[in-house]
């Protein structure tokens, strides 16, 4: 359990920075097909923003409900990734061969592009949840609720 | 001209790596290690691989520094005075000889950007020519990681998930 940071400056700067960091993480995730970035980096940036809420507002506050909720999503990213692979097998393709899924209005390159996007989202969810989960595992409190 | 860009970065890398080893204070060592990762990311970017540089900057100097600091705050580092012995001469000599051997072996490596090198000669031209028309993805690195080598990435994701579960099983001592 982590106690809240007691500096008002840190609180205000975090409130300003937090949406920017999360938006940048999502941007990196979705821009990964066109520039540097991708699921791994986007997931780490988003996870770092969740860790920042935990560190600044403390484990008992309401501002980090997203970080607490994320702890219950352990393994969701892996299910998304492997589920896309399994979907390809259901439509009689090889495992993770995205073009096997028949989507109306999508030619095989577009389907592959969509599959890449889906697996990147899976990787990002997995990385973000794992980073917040490791931080939660590493932090436990003494009687006064301080980080020891 | 390539060497004049490389040289300051490599010197900074050496200085920060040595600093992380020499510094007695563990928190200082962790922070110096973070700056080492940042200079390494600059090296990757200078060599033309922004994807690796991005990952190194975010994971190496961001996330791993935070996790190191968390681990340090949870433990009580103690210094053992009896462990401050001088390095035996044969260890120093052996490491020096090993370093020279590695440098000697590095002479045979293909030059940077050599198109006749085995890594560039076989599969890379196929990826470069076909990835855009096969999967509408201009970033070849993402196309390789997420489609051509997707099974590898799936297993890497499973490794990260396993690390998180192992940390939770070993360390979590409270109800969250």
């Amino acid at each position: 359990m982590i106690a809240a940071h007691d500096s008002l400056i840190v609180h205000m700067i975090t409130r300003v920075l937090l949406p920017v960091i999360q938006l940048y993480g999502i941007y990196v995730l979705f821009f990964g097909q066109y520039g540097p970035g991708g699921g791994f980096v986007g997931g780490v940036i988003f996870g770092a923003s969740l860790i920042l809420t935990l560190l600044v507002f403390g484990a008992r506050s309401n501002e980090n409900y997203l970080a607490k909720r994320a702890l219950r999503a352990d393994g969701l990213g892996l299910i998304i990734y492997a589920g896309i692979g399994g979907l390809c097998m259901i439509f009689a393709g090889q495992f993770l061969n995205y073009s096997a899924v028949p989507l109306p209005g999508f030619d095989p390159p577009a389907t592959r592009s969509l599959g890449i996007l889906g697996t990147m989202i899976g990787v990002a969810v997995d990385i973000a949840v794992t980073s917040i989960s490791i931080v939660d595992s590493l932090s436990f409190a003494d009687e006064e609720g301080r980080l020891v | 001209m390539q060497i004049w860009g490389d040289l300051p970065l490599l010197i900074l890398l050496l200085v920060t790596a040595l600093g992380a080893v020499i510094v007695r204070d563990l928190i200082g060592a962790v922070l110096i290690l973070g700056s080492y990762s940042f200079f390494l990311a600059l090296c990757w970017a200078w060599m033309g691989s922004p994807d690796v540089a991005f990952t190194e900057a975010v994971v190496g100097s961001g996330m791993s520094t935070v996790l190191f600091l968390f681990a340090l705050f949870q433990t009580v580092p103690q210094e053992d005075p009896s462990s401050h012995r001088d390095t035996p001469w044969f260890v120093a000599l052996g490491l020096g000889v090993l370093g020279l051997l590695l440098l000697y072996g590095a002479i045979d490596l293909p030059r940077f950007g050599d198109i006749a090198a085995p890594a560039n000669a076989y599969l890379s031209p196929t990826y470069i020519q076909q990835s855009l028309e096969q999967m509408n993805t201009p970033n070849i690195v993402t196309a390789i990681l997420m489609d051509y080598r997707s099974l590898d990435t799936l297993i890497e994701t499973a490794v990260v998930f396993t690390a998180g579960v192992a940390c939770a099983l070993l360390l979590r001592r409270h109800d969250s």
Side-chain angles (χ1 to χ4, degrees):
Chain A
M1 203 76 82
I2 302 169
H5 201 281
D6 48 3
S7 163
L8 185 66
I9 299 171
V10 174
H11 274 249
M12 289 315 289
I13 289 181
T14 307
R15 275 178 211 280
V16 173
L17 274 183
L18 208 59
V20 181
I21 298 175
Q22 293 184 343
L23 199 63
Y24 186 62
I26 294 171
Y27 158 77
V28 165
L29 164 62
F30 284 101
F31 200 64
Q33 285 176 305
Y34 303 98
F40 196 83
V41 184
V44 172
I45 293 175
F46 202 86
S49 78
L50 294 182
I51 293 175
L52 188 66
T53 61
L54 203 62
L55 277 179
V56 172
F57 300 120
R60 292 203 179 106
S61 72
N62 287 323
E63 275 92 347
N64 57 20
Y65 67 95
L66 192 59
K68 282 183 197 158
R69 281 290 184 81
L71 284 176
R72 305 189 189 282
D74 223 352
L76 181 68
L78 203 56
I79 287 176
I80 293 175
Y81 202 141
I84 289 174
L87 202 65
C88 302
M89 285 180 87
I90 289 174
F91 287 105
Q94 293 120 341
F95 189 61
L96 290 170
N97 186 3
Y98 313 128
S99 61
V101 181
L103 288 174
F106 282 84
D107 49 344
T111 316
R112 285 181 173 274
S113 179
L114 213 61
I116 289 174
L117 187 62
T119 48
M120 281 203 302
I121 291 173
V123 172
V125 169
D126 185 76
I127 302 286
V129 170
T130 302
S131 58
I132 190 72
S133 159
I134 288 178
V135 166
D136 183 74
S137 306
L138 279 172
S139 59
F140 37 92
D142 57 2
E143 287 76 19
E144 292 144 16
R146 269 200 315 251
L147 179 66
V148 287
Chain B
M1 36 195 185
Q2 182 80 25
I3 188 74
W4 298 118
D6 283 348
L7 210 55
L9 278 179
L10 288 179
I11 290 172
L12 279 171
L13 264 185
L14 273 181
V15 168
T16 45
L18 276 176
V21 176
I22 290 173
V23 164
R24 278 261 170 265
D25 181 31
L26 282 178
I27 292 178
V30 166
L31 293 179
I32 293 175
L33 206 61
S35 66
Y36 166 81
S37 284
F38 183 70
F39 289 129
L40 197 59
L42 285 184
C43 265
W44 299 134
W46 180 258
M47 290 169 84
S49 59
D51 281 274
V52 185
F54 209 167
T55 311
E56 176 76 41
V58 169
V59 177
S61 60
M63 186 60 73
S64 71
T65 306
V66 171
L67 292 185
F68 269 135
L69 285 179
F70 260 104
L72 270 185
F73 288 146
Q74 300 303 327
T75 51
V76 186
Q78 281 183 335
E79 220 171 339
D80 185 9
S82 68
S83 69
H84 287 178
R85 264 171 280 147
D86 290 334
T87 312
W89 63 269
F90 53 87
V91 171
L93 188 72
L95 283 178
V97 169
L98 191 65
L100 283 179
L101 277 177
L102 284 175
L103 281 179
Y104 176 69
I107 294 173
D108 272 351
L109 287 177
R111 291 183 60 81
F112 179 66
D114 185 6
I115 50 170
N120 296 335
Y122 296 109
L123 268 176
S124 299
T126 319
Y127 289 153
I128 292 168
Q129 283 164 4
Q130 296 182 0
S131 68
L132 185 58
E133 61 187 62
Q134 277 183 347
M135 50 202 68
N136 279 353
T137 302
N139 187 358
I140 304 171
V141 178
T142 304
I144 291 173
L145 275 181
M146 287 300 169
D147 200 317
Y148 290 119
R149 294 279 176 269
S150 195
L151 197 59
D152 290 359
T153 314
L154 175 64
I155 304 297
E156 276 172 30
T157 314
V159 167
V160 173
F161 170 68
T162 314
V165 170
C167 270
L169 287 178
L170 284 173
L171 298 171
R172 198 171 286 178
R173 297 178 194 170
H174 60 86
D175 305 322
S176 59

